[in-house]
Amino acid sequence: MSRRKLLIGGAGAAGAALAGWALYADDKPQWYNGPTVSAKTERKKRPLPSRTEQVNMLQAGHTYDVLIIGGGATGAGCALDATTRGLRTALVEADDFASGTSSRSTKLIHGGVRYLQKAILQLDYEQYKMVKEALHERANMLEVAPHLTRPLPILLPVYKWWQVPYYWFGIKMYDIVAGDRNLKSSYYLSKKNTLELFPMLKSDNLCGGIVYYDGQQDDARMCLAIALTAARHGATIANHVKVTKLYKTNNKLSGARLKDELTGKEWDIKAKSIINATGPFTDSIRKMDDQQLKDICCPSSGVHIVLPGYYSPEHMGLLDPSTSDGRVIFFLPWHKGTIAGTTDLPCQVTHNPKPTEDEILFILTEVKNYLNPDVEVRRGDVLSAWSGIRPLVSDPNKPDTQSLARNHIVHVSPSGLVTIAGGKWTTYRSMAAETIDAAIESANLKPLYKECQTDGFLIEGAHGWTPTMYIRLVQDFGLEMEVAQHLAKSYGDRAFAVAKMAQMTGKRWPIIGKKIHPEFPYIDAEIRYGVREYACTAVDMVARRLRLAFLNVQAAAEALPGVIDIMAEELKWSDAEKQKQTKAAQDFLANEMGQMVNRASRDKIPINLTKDEIQSYIKRFQIIDKDRKGFVSINDIRRSLKSMGVKPSDDEISAILSEIDVTYHGQLELQDYLQMMSAIKSGHVAYSRFARMAEMEEQHHEQEQLKKSISVERSGGGL
C-alpha cells in the first residue's frame, strides 16, 4: 500500500470531512493575524569599519572570547548572537561572505512541508519539532528583514481527485503547526481559478490546486546583512582571511594562524573559544584539531537553474511534490526570473562546484511535465545554472555515526572546538543560539547577557524600511522607479546612502543612476557601495553584492568590464590587477554559473554545411556585424532593418528580437549562426526570422554594390 493511501486511512474521518469542506470552500485566501515580533534594537549609527581596519583589529593582539570560522549564514548568525550577548567576537571567512552554499539555495524560507509529511507518516516527534522550530524562524526572518524577504504563495497542482484530500489535509496541518506564526492560511482553488493564477500550467486532467505560503529571500544579501549587523554591533569580521592552523595550550584550543588571502600576510590570533561553522568544509577544520577524526560530512549537490520570467507568474511559485525519481522540485519567481530546482546527488567537497548538463536536463524535463504546450521548454532558455553543496552530516555525539542527522548538530571536541554543521538556511538563528550556548559553557565565558538576544532583532536596512520607501527615492533623487524599488528591496533604509553615490545620467529622466546593464536595475552606485560592504573582488560584486551572475550569466559577462573599472577606481587596482580580476571572474562565470555548460550544449549541434555555404553564411554574418565585434546584438538587428528600409510589423520585429535575446542571451556569435543555418538546412529548425533577415540584408547589400558599380561604369564612360 502506498504512503499516500496509508495517510488517507490514518487520517480517517477527519481527512474526509476536511476534504469535503475544501472542495466547496471559497477560493479566496484566509488570513491569520499572528503577533508581530518586536525589535530589540535601534538603528546603529556606528559607521562600518573598512576591511583594512577590520584586519588591523585582528592583528592587534586582542584575545577574543569567540573566533568564528566561516562567513556563511550560520557563521554570520553566530557572530551576531555572540556580539549582542556582549562577547568579544571575531569572524573570518576564507572566501567571501555567503560565497558557498549560503548564496546557492532555493531562496525559500520554509518549515519543510515534506519533513512534516514524514513526521505524520512515521509518527516522528523529532521531525515535528524540527518543522515547528523552522516555522518560528520563518516568521522571525520575515519580521526582522522585511526588505529582503516576502511571503510567497506556492501552488501545489492536483491531477487526481483522491489527492485533493491528501494534500489539503497535509497543508492544513502545516498551517496548524505554525500556529500564531503562520503567514497566511492555505486554501483550495478550483481548476478555473488555478489556471487564472498560474496560466502556464498544464490544464489536461487538472482537478484544482492547493495554495500555501512560505517565505522567500535574497540569500546572499541576507547573509551579508546579518554579518554587517554584527559588525555594527562591535564584531570584528573579515572576508578573504583563512585559518591555516589551530593552536592549543594544555590540550585546549587557544588561538589560530590566519592568512590574508589578498595580501598573503599571516599572523596569530588568540581566542578562548573557536567555532567551526564552515558548512561542507567542516571536516577540514575538525582535522586541524585532531588528524585522527573520521569525516562526518556527506556532501550532496543541489543544482538550480534560472529561466526567463514568463515561465511563472511574478507572485506565485509552484511545487512538484513527486518527480520521476521521487524528489521535490520548486519552480519560483525571483528577481523577475524563474528559479527551478533542485537536484540531490552525492558529490565531492570543492570550493568551485559546477552544474552538470545531466542535472540541468533533469530539471527541464520535470518542469516540462507541468507546463502547457504554449510554453516550449528550451535548453537555450537557461540563463544561468549553479550548484550548491548541502553539508549533510552524521552526528559525532552518537555512537552510531553511519546515519545522517536529520537536523543540525552541535559538537564540542575534547580540546574545545565547537562544531555546528547541517541544518538549513531558515534555522540559522536558532542554530547560532545553540552554538553560542555551547561555546559559553565549554569555555566558561562570561557574557553580558546569558540568553540569546537575536529573536526579533532587526538586521541591517530593516529599521526605516517601508513598502513605499522607494517612492521617496524616486522623488528625492530622481531615480527610475524600477531602480528605486530594487534599491529599497536590496538595501532597506541604507538605500539612501547608495543613492547619494549615484552619478548623473545626463538625461532628462532618470536624473541619476547609470545602469551597469540595460536589462537590469543595477546601477553604478551599488558597485561603489559594495566596496564599502567588503566586496574585494569582481566575483564578490557580480555574484553576491549584485545578483547578476545568478540571474543571467551572459549579462554578467557583458557588465563585467564596467564593474571592474569602477572597482579599480575605488580599490586603486593596477592594470595587471584588473586583468587578473577579469580572468578570475570570467572563469567563475564559465564554470560555476553555467556559462560553459550552456555553451557546450549548443556546441553539440553539428554543422553540416559545404565549404561554399559556410563562406556564404560568414559573408552574411559580417555584413550585419559592421563593427566587427564577433557577435550580433539586438542593436545590430535594429540598425540592419532600418538600413534596408524594411518596415516589418511590430509582431515581426518582436519575434526577431525575441529569437536573439531569449535563445542566445542577447548576442549571436558566428558559431551560433552557422549552427542555426545548419539546423535549418537539415530540418532540425523549420524557420528562423533572423536567418531570413540576414538573407534579406545580404540581398540588399548586393543590390547596393551593383548600383555603385553601375554608377562607376557610367562615370567612366563619360570621360
Side-chain angles (χ1 to χ4, degrees):
M1 189 181 293
S2 73
R3 289 194 299 174
R4 294 188 178 94
K5 292 179 181 176
L6 271 174
L7 181 60
I8 292 176
L18 290 171
W21 182 87
L23 291 171
Y24 296 100
D26 189 0
D27 287 327
K28 296 178 182 177
Q30 300 175 22
W31 299 68
Y32 283 137
N33 294 314
T36 58
V37 178
S38 59
K40 298 178 183 176
T41 174
E42 294 182 359
R43 187 177 190 266
K44 279 282 181 180
K45 295 183 179 179
R46 176 188 182 226
L48 277 176
S50 68
R51 181 181 179 276
T52 300
E53 291 170 332
Q54 297 278 29
V55 171
N56 288 341
M57 283 288 290
L58 291 174
Q59 296 173 355
H62 302 301
T63 298
Y64 287 91
D65 292 318
V66 176
L67 169 63
I68 299 156
I69 309 171
T74 307
C78 286
L80 180 59
D81 190 293
T83 196
T84 52
R85 294 199 206 193
L87 295 172
R88 177 168 246 175
T89 304
L91 177 147
V92 292
E93 161 59 45
D95 195 340
D96 185 27
F97 304 113
S99 58
T101 308
S102 296
S103 62
R104 304 172 192 233
S105 72
T106 310
K107 323 303 179 197
L108 279 180
I109 311 167
H110 63 120
V113 173
R114 57 180 173 166
Y115 299 125
L116 182 60
Q117 178 192 39
K118 291 177 182 177
I120 295 172
L121 288 172
Q122 300 169 9
L123 299 177
D124 189 331
Y125 183 63
E126 288 301 314
Q127 294 257 23
Y128 167 80
K129 283 202 307 182
M130 184 175 72
V131 174
K132 183 77 174 175
E133 176 188 59
L135 288 171
H136 171 85
E137 295 303 323
R138 178 188 70 177
N140 184 65
M141 285 181 73
L142 287 159
E143 291 285 352
V144 302
H147 56 302
L148 291 169
T149 62
R150 64 169 178 167
L152 180 69
I154 298 175
L155 173 69
L156 200 162
V158 183
Y159 288 91
K160 294 179 182 177
W161 281 109
W162 70 263
Q163 291 178 334
V164 173
Y166 172 78
Y167 288 132
W168 188 89
F169 175 76
I171 294 299
K172 276 298 169 189
M173 288 299 297
Y174 195 57
D175 290 351
I176 292 168
V177 172
D180 62 3
R181 312 314 307 278
N182 199 26
L183 302 181
K184 300 175 187 178
S185 181
S186 59
Y187 55 96
Y188 171 79
L189 286 171
S190 65
K191 176 179 179 177
K192 177 185 175 184
N193 289 352
T194 298
L195 292 173
E196 282 182 3
L197 286 176
F198 210 113
M200 309 84 177
L201 204 60
K202 183 174 69 177
S203 61
D204 294 348
N205 301 318
L206 181 68
C207 303
I210 296 165
V211 176
Y212 73 97
Y213 286 81
D214 262 328
Q216 190 177 47
Q217 66 168 338
D218 185 332
D219 52 2
R221 288 214 59 87
M222 174 69 82
C223 180
L224 178 66
I226 296 165
L228 295 179
T229 306
R232 287 198 192 273
H233 285 81
T236 304
I237 66 172
N239 54 348
H240 300 285
V241 173
K242 183 178 182 179
V243 172
T244 60
K245 185 179 181 181
L246 298 180
Y247 293 122
K248 295 179 183 178
T249 303
N250 298 325
N251 295 321
K252 291 291 183 179
L253 288 175
S254 58
R257 182 76 172 169
L258 304 184
K259 179 182 178 182
D260 188 334
E261 295 285 81
L262 301 181
T263 64
K265 185 175 181 179
E266 297 190 23
W267 68 95
D268 294 336
I269 185 173
K270 297 176 184 177
K272 298 174 185 177
S273 177
I274 297 179
I275 294 173
N276 173 15
T278 53
F281 304 97
T282 293
D283 289 322
S284 64
I285 302 298
R286 291 177 71 242
K287 288 183 177 180
M288 285 186 191
D289 178 34
D290 183 353
Q291 283 286 347
Q292 306 306 314
L293 290 175
K294 293 182 179 179
D295 290 351
I296 62 169
C297 185
C298 182
S300 171
S301 166
V303 168
H304 295 82
I305 63 174
V306 172
L307 298 164
Y310 58 72
Y311 270 81
S312 68
E314 189 175 353
H315 300 292
M316 179 170 282
L318 181 141
L319 166 64
D320 176 357
S322 182
T323 62
S324 57
D325 65 352
R327 290 185 295 220
V328 171
I329 286 278
F330 285 100
F331 196 61
L332 308 167
W334 188 64
H335 288 312
K336 304 198 181 297
T338 302
I339 291 180
T342 178
T343 59
D344 187 4
L345 293 172
C347 67
Q348 297 296 315
V349 174
T350 172
H351 287 281
N352 312 108
K354 304 174 184 178
T356 66
E357 183 66 13
D358 287 345
E359 289 172 300
I360 292 171
L361 292 177
F362 166 78
I363 295 171
L364 289 175
T365 300
E366 296 301 328
V367 164
K368 192 173 184 178
N369 292 336
Y370 276 87
L371 300 181
N372 68 45
D374 286 340
V375 184
E376 183 185 352
V377 179
R378 303 178 296 186
R379 177 61 182 83
D381 284 345
V382 177
L383 303 176
S384 65
W386 68 85
S387 172
I389 300 178
R390 296 188 192 89
L392 305 175
V393 291
S394 56
D395 191 345
N397 298 306
K398 296 181 179 179
D400 175 18
T401 59
Q402 299 302 311
S403 58
L404 296 178
R406 292 168 181 166
N407 204 351
H408 63 272
I409 61 102
V410 176
H411 176 258
V412 182
S413 75
S415 65
L417 178 66
V418 182
T419 294
I420 170 68
K424 57 182 182 176
W425 227 118
T426 305
T427 55
Y428 84 90
R429 192 204 64 81
S430 59
M431 290 163 60
E434 189 177 335
T435 305
I436 300 304
D437 285 343
I440 290 171
E441 183 178 350
S442 64
N444 196 26
L445 302 177
K446 306 296 181 185
L448 187 61
Y449 304 101
K450 188 172 182 181
E451 300 299 322
C452 171
Q453 302 293 302
T454 57
D455 196 356
F457 199 95
L458 295 186
I459 69 166
E460 179 93 349
H463 299 80
W465 181 86
T466 66
T468 54
M469 193 189 82
Y470 73 92
I471 296 173
R472 287 172 55 201
L473 290 168
V474 174
Q475 294 178 336
D476 294 354
F477 290 93
L479 286 165
E480 186 179 330
M481 188 176 76
E482 183 189 16
V483 171
Q485 289 174 327
H486 154 68
L487 293 181
K489 288 177 181 177
S490 296
Y491 303 91
D493 60 15
R494 305 281 173 181
F496 296 97
V498 180
K500 288 175 183 177
M501 295 182 177
Q503 291 185 345
M504 304 288 285
T505 63
K507 301 176 183 176
R508 186 182 63 82
W509 189 264
I511 298 171
I512 65 167
K514 290 184 178 179
K515 288 185 177 182
I516 64 169
H517 193 281
E519 298 169 28
F520 292 88
Y522 301 113
I523 60 171
D524 58 317
E526 294 182 78
I527 301 168
R528 301 184 192 281
Y529 192 79
V531 171
R532 288 152 182 79
E533 293 181 321
Y534 307 129
C536 302
T537 69
V539 173
D540 293 351
M541 191 65 71
V542 298
R544 293 173 288 273
R545 302 308 180 278
L546 318 178
R547 302 312 307 274
L548 193 52
F550 282 83
L551 291 168
N552 189 316
V553 66
Q554 187 62 45
E558 291 167 4
L560 194 58
V563 170
I564 288 175
D565 283 344
I566 296 175
M567 290 190 76
E569 291 177 18
E570 294 289 324
L571 295 169
K572 311 300 183 213
W573 285 345
S574 64
D575 288 343
E577 181 63 24
K578 287 172 67 174
Q579 291 176 4
K580 178 183 173 183
Q581 291 291 331
T582 300
K583 176 67 166 59
Q586 288 173 341
D587 289 346
F588 171 80
L589 295 175
N591 294 306
E592 296 183 52
M593 290 291 109
Q595 190 178 44
M596 184 176 289
V597 75
N598 282 354
R599 168 65 60 189
S601 72
R602 274 190 258 162
D603 288 346
K604 290 179 181 177
I605 304 170
I607 299 177
N608 298 317
L609 299 171
T610 67
K611 185 176 180 180
D612 289 343
E613 286 173 332
I614 290 174
Q615 291 301 319
S616 175
Y617 291 137
I618 289 174
K619 181 181 177 183
R620 288 187 190 180
F621 186 87
Q622 290 174 342
I623 290 169
I624 298 178
D625 181 22
K626 290 182 171 64
D627 297 331
R628 298 295 184 266
K629 302 184 298 297
F631 63 87
V632 174
S633 68
I634 287 175
N635 288 334
D636 295 321
I637 304 298
R638 292 184 183 278
R639 185 175 60 189
S640 295
L641 290 169
K642 184 177 180 181
S643 68
M644 288 188 294
V646 176
K647 295 183 179 179
S649 67
D650 290 342
D651 287 343
E652 287 173 323
I653 292 176
S654 176
I656 293 169
L657 300 183
S658 172
E659 185 176 318
I660 301 300
D661 187 37
V662 175
T663 308
Y664 297 101
H665 311 311
Q667 62 184 37
L668 189 75
E669 296 179 8
L670 176 59
Q671 177 80 359
D672 302 322
Y673 177 58
L674 293 176
Q675 285 171 341
M676 183 171 67
M677 300 309 296
S678 177
I680 293 168
K681 177 185 176 184
S682 62
H684 286 83
V685 176
Y687 178 72
S688 167
R689 294 177 180 87
F690 173 74
R692 173 60 185 150
M693 191 216 63
E695 185 179 355
M696 291 168 61
E697 174 75 44
E698 183 183 14
Q699 292 172 354
H700 176 75
H701 180 74
E702 289 173 349
Q703 288 172 359
E704 290 297 313
Q705 292 295 320
L706 181 61
K707 288 179 183 177
K708 286 182 181 178
S709 63
I710 291 172
S711 176
V712 169
E713 287 178 4
R714 287 177 176 171
S715 299
L719 288 173

